[in-house]
Each structure stands twice: as C-alpha cells, then as structure tokens.
Amino acid sequence: MRQRWLAGAVIGGLIATGLLTGSGSGVAAPARTCDQFGSFPLAGATYVVQNNRWGASTEQCITAASTGVGFTVDTARHTNNTGPAGYPSIYRGCVYGYCTAKSPFPRRVSDLGTLRSTWTTSRPTGTGTQQYNTAYDVWFDPVAGQTGRNTGAEMMVWLNRTSWVQPIGKKYYEITLAGTRWEVWYGRIDLPVISFVRKTPVTSVANLPLTDFVREAQRAGVVKPTWFLTSVQAGFEPWTGGTGLRTSTFSITRNGQ
C-alpha cells in the first residue's frame, strides 16, 4: 500500500487479448502473466486482472480462473517486511486511461447510485510465514478522464489481514457499516488514504454496499462529492510470500448493472 499509486496499475498497451493457447494441444489455456504490470481481460473485457507488482523485484505471476471471473496468484516469492510487494487484483472502471467494457465509471461521487460487490477469495494452504491482506481499492479523481495516476484520494476496504500487516497511517475510530464493525485508518504519502479494516476477518462478502463506505469517506472529508470514482479494484497485497492467494468470484455493479 505504501507507494502503489506511484508505479501505476495498468497501461492500455499492456492489456492482453483473450486467452493463450496451450502448447501443441489446440486447447485454450487460462491467460497468465508474470510481467510486472501485465494484465488480461475477463468476461468480455468487463473486468481486467492485473499483476501490478510495484513494490518488489521478486517474481509474481497470476493466472485466470478456468471458469468464472477470478484469478490465482500462482507464484509469489516476496520477502518484504516494510510494505506490500504488489497488488495482484481485478478491477472494473478506468485505470491509466484504459476503461473496461460497459464501465459505469468514472462516475461523480454525488451520482454514484448503489454500488454492490460480491467477492469470494481463499487463502493459501499452509500459510507459514506468508504475510498479506485482502482488500478493495477504490480510486477518486477531480477529473473524469484522468489518463495518469489518480490525484484525488484512495479508499481501501480490508476484509482480512495477517498478524503484523496494517494500513497506511493510524487508526482513528470504529464504525458499523454493512452490519459489522470496522476500524477506520487514515494516512497519506502524497494522496490521502482512508482504510476500513473489518474487525472480524472474512474471506468473502455478498452484495457489500460499497456506497456506504464512500459516503463515510465523504463525511470524514477525505472524498469530495464533486470528484469522480474512477475504478473499483479487489485483490491482495502480498508482503511475504503470496503464492496461492485466489479470487474465485468477483462482481461490482452500479444500480444492479
């Protein structure tokens, strides 16, 4: 999380085109990339999966799920202890000038409607010394057509984390949202970052009302109603290790679409 936005997530020219072909078999194999900022589309380009290894030089590879909308971190040999090695993730919206198909974003905060997300993940078996967190990453910008790094604010919603992993800044208060308690953290490096950390960790959520978190970020003065929500991302921040982190299903909708 420390400098994720400095490296960027996806550049349009790195978007892959569909599936890779299994060698000699004539059978389509799930898309895979080990490129630092490699990515590929899913579900007719409604979503994009991004490797986004911004904080380490150690290897990291991701593979699309063979069915459904998801991906697996099949390789991650990280050894960080001061910050994430990257943010392998899936997103809908606009990132560095590339917009997913039929994207409801960018959308002005004052006109967000109802945002809901369903997300199912799994942790690596035999985690050992692996350290990571599972979190949404939502980005805001004063300009709808931002083609570079966002300049407004970042909002994270953490579903779980391992022992010593924590968000940017410090904890300020707790709040009940979506029927459960969350710690609210705030900090900044160059952009303000507000993070909601679930008090009771989970690996999946169904119809999570992300609009409620945006509303609280606005009430806290971190997000402005005139800004635009540019993308909703969901993934993992592996610090140490990370092999085996998996998203098996993901969706984000605005007003049911």
Side-chain angles (χ1 to χ4, degrees):
M1 90 217 42
R2 307 293 188 202
Q3 295 175 317
R4 175 176 49 253
W5 47 85
L6 300 183
V10 166
I11 299 175
L14 295 176
I15 301 299
T17 56
L19 300 178
L20 305 178
T21 301
S23 176
S25 67
V27 177
R32 183 176 189 263
T33 182
C34 298
D35 292 344
Q36 183 177 7
F37 299 117
S39 60
F40 46 80
L42 289 180
T46 300
Y47 300 97
V48 165
V49 174
Q50 55 187 358
N51 201 26
N52 200 13
R53 176 178 56 80
W54 59 268
S57 59
T58 39
E59 186 179 21
Q60 179 177 290
C61 303
I62 55 174
T63 301
S66 56
T67 59
V69 179
F71 70 96
T72 298
V73 181
D74 62 72
T75 305
R77 299 186 174 96
H78 304 310
T79 57
N80 286 14
N81 56 21
T82 58
Y87 184 59
S89 50
I90 186 170
Y91 78 83
R92 189 178 187 191
C94 299
V95 175
Y96 276 71
Y98 175 83
C99 296
T100 54
K102 301 178 183 179
S103 172
F105 315 116
R107 179 74 55 175
R108 197 178 294 275
V109 171
S110 59
D111 184 39
L112 275 186
T114 300
L115 304 183
R116 290 193 177 274
S117 180
T118 294
W119 185 20
T120 303
T121 73
S122 59
R123 307 181 183 196
T125 57
T127 55
T129 59
Q130 296 201 77
Q131 296 287 336
Y132 60 90
N133 60 279
T134 303
Y136 288 90
D137 207 1
V138 184
W139 292 87
F140 302 88
D141 199 278
V143 178
Q146 178 60 261
T147 58
R149 184 182 62 82
N150 287 124
T151 61
E154 177 185 12
M155 183 187 84
M156 300 195 76
V157 180
W158 289 39
L159 302 188
N160 60 64
R161 56 175 171 161
T162 52
S163 58
W164 44 259
V165 171
Q166 68 179 44
I168 289 172
K170 64 180 182 179
K171 173 185 170 182
Y172 279 84
Y173 59 95
E174 293 186 8
I175 191 171
T176 297
L177 293 170
T180 193
R181 295 293 287 176
W182 304 78
E183 297 177 352
V184 182
W185 292 60
Y186 175 79
R188 63 180 302 148
I189 296 180
D190 58 344
L191 293 182
V193 183
I194 186 168
S195 301
F196 299 88
V197 180
R198 204 177 196 277
K199 293 277 287 182
T200 304
V202 293
T203 57
S204 64
V205 289
N207 294 315
L208 184 71
L210 286 174
T211 318
D212 293 355
F213 296 87
V214 176
R215 187 178 299 114
E216 175 59 22
Q218 183 180 334
R219 189 201 66 80
V222 179
V223 171
K224 297 181 180 180
T226 56
W227 287 357
F228 294 85
L229 188 157
T230 58
S231 68
V232 174
Q233 309 182 26
F236 312 98
E237 290 185 315
W239 296 39
T240 301
T243 299
L245 291 166
R246 177 177 298 171
T247 287
S248 54
T249 60
F250 177 74
S251 67
I252 172 70
T253 61
R254 174 184 179 267
N255 295 343
Q257 298 182 343

